């Protein structure tokens, strides 16, 4: 089968590899679509950071060369031994995260921080291929109201749902989302689904227009930081948002998130940071702000994302910029994502196009 294989830094290749065979409890999936994420681009250009390289992963036994891609969905093609609760042809969403189930954190229900975690496309063969195998108990049935092109976006939607759940949001809250990229726009919609008022913040007018379309109550352009800070205060009666979520992953945005949150409020960090901002920690201590990190997903988050997307509460359609065949994934997918001026959210790769 065709697959995009990660070998090393700046070395990904379209290759012919053997089709995977499902072991006991596993399912072979025909991939119906996989979206390329900024993390894939970072691994390609600056990695391997998360991609298992040099020694095998403890849970999966895998290391490079590995099939990349962690935002995918598929159709059941073959059942491994002992799999009974699904049939060939079923459409499924994929919980891409394997955890050990036995460590201190897993035993306490904090699977998102299991130190033995293995993620598809990083520590196991992922979705940029015609087929992959995955444990049957990590697959969630998917209704036909979610199309094959939309389904890969369930993965970043799950990251958004996880963040919203971790934020402890309450009815009546005002929330500000910094960064209106894919994860930011999904987070904004997940907060709207929770019934709160959302202020969307970005430096790009186009992204702010899309934020309005997707339900943001207010939008603020932060190109002028001081003007943005005053506008946010004005929109919150001089108090500040109850929760500020940082999804941009830029150098100064975590500091802004901390500064813009109201006294006693909550800062949620979802971005992945490649630079180290200087932060005055007294601005957290002196105002009793709570700073929360959010990564990966917990049991139940994917099921919730499937419900929200299927029910139209989270609209992923405007975030799909292009659909490209697997054979052109590097030229028309990865290379395009490199352009700093790209007007692209997600590019979905489909085998058999
Ligand atoms: Zn991703
Ligand atoms: Zn664990």
């Amino acid at each position: 089968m065709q697959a995009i294989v990660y070998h090393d830094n700046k070395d990904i290749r379209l290759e012919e590899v053997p089709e995977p065979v499902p072991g006991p409890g596993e399912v072979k999936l025909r991939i119906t679509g996989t979206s390329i994420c900024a993390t894939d681009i970072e691994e390609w250009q600056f990695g391997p950071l998360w991609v298992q390289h040099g020694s095998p992963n403890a849970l999966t036994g895998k290391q490079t060369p590995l099939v990349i891609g962690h935002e995918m969905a598929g159709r059941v093609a073959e059942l491994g031994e002992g799999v009974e609760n699904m049939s060939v042809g079923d459409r499924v969403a994929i919980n891409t995260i394997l955890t050990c189930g036995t460590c201190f954190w897993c035993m306490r229900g904090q699977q998102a921080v299991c130190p033995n975690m293995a993620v598809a496309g990083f520590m196991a063969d992922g979705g940029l291929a015609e087929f992959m195998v995955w444990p049957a108990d990590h697959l969630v049935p998917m209704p036909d109201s979610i199309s094959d092109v939309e389904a890969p976006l369930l993965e970043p939607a799950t990251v958004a749902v996880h963040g919203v759940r971790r934020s402890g949001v309450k009815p009546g809250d005002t929330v500000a989302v910094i960064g209106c990229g894919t994860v930011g726009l999904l987070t904004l919609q997940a907060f709207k689904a929770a019934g709160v008022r959302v202020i969307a913040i970005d430096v790009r007018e186009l992204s702010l227009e899309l934020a309005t379309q997707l339900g943001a109550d207010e939008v603020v352009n932060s190109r002028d930081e001081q003007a943005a800070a005053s506008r946010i205060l004005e929109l919150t009666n001089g108090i500040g948002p109850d929760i500020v979520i940082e999804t941009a992953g830029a150098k100064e945005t975590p500091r802004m998130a901390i500064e813009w949150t109201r006294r006693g409020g909550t800062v949620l960090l979802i971005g992945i940071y490649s630079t180290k901002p200087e932060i005055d920690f007294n601005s957290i201590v002196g105002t009793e702000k709570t700073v929360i990190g959010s990564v990966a997903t917990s049991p139940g988050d994917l099921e919730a994302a499937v419900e929200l997307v299927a029910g139209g509460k989270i609209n992923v359609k405007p975030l799909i910029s292009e659909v490209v065949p697997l054979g052109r994934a590097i030229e028309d997918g990865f290379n395009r994502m490199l352009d700093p001026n790209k007007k692209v959210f997600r590019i979905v790769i489909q085998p058999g196009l």
Side-chain angles (χ1 to χ4, degrees), residues 192-260:
K192 285 311 294 177
V196 297
R197 176 171 175 247
V198 180
I199 303 170
I201 303 165
D202 202 293
V203 293
R204 301 162 294 187
E205 273 307 320
L206 260 180
S207 300
L208 291 175
E209 275 169 35
L210 193 47
T212 304
Q213 245 183 65
L214 293 174
D217 298 282
E218 310 282 352
V219 295
V220 174
N221 192 314
S222 55
R223 196 170 286 278
D224 177 343
E225 191 188 328
Q226 285 320 311
S230 339
R231 179 69 186 138
I232 292 163
L233 271 182
E234 200 177 292
L235 290 170
T236 52
N237 299 321
I239 302 289
D242 300 288
I243 301 171
V244 178
I245 305 93
E246 201 301 300
T247 73
K251 181 157 193 245
E252 297 300 329
T253 43
R255 175 186 53 75
M256 294 176 197
I258 290 167
E259 287 175 8
W260 293 346

Side-chain angles (χ1 to χ4, degrees), residues 38-77:
T39 312
D40 296 317
I41 303 302
E42 273 155 32
E43 285 296 328
W44 173 40
Q45 289 300 308
F46 309 111
L49 301 168
W50 306 88
V51 170
Q52 191 80 33
H53 187 71
S55 64
N57 180 269
L59 270 188
T60 65
K62 301 277 185 168
Q63 60 177 309
T64 50
L66 269 175
V67 178
I68 52 168
H70 60 275
E71 301 182 354
M72 63 287 190
R75 207 177 272 274
V76 175

Side-chain angles (χ1 to χ4, degrees), residues 110-152:
Q110 292 184 301
Q111 289 89 340
V113 289
C114 169
N116 307 314
M117 176 185 290
V119 183
F122 296 97
M123 301 94 169
D125 286 322
L128 281 167
E130 291 174 73
F131 296 96
M132 72 178 270
V133 294
W134 206 243
D137 60 5
H138 280 60
L139 303 175
V140 174
M142 192 170 59
D144 287 338
S145 56
I146 303 176
S147 73
D148 286 344
V149 171
E150 294 170 287

Side-chain angles (χ1 to χ4, degrees), residues 59 98-107 110-111 113-117:
L59 270 188
L98 304 178
T99 51
C100 73
T102 55
C103 72
F104 176 93
W105 294 273
C106 282
M107 296 308 282
Q110 292 184 301
Q111 289 89 340
V113 289
C114 169
N116 307 314
M117 176 185 290

Side-chain angles (χ1 to χ4, degrees), residues 35-40 70-71 122 155-156 159 183 346:
S35 44
I36 302 176
C37 167
T39 312
D40 296 317
H70 60 275
E71 301 182 354
F122 296 97
E155 197 275 346
V159 170
V183 170
R346 282 292 190 268

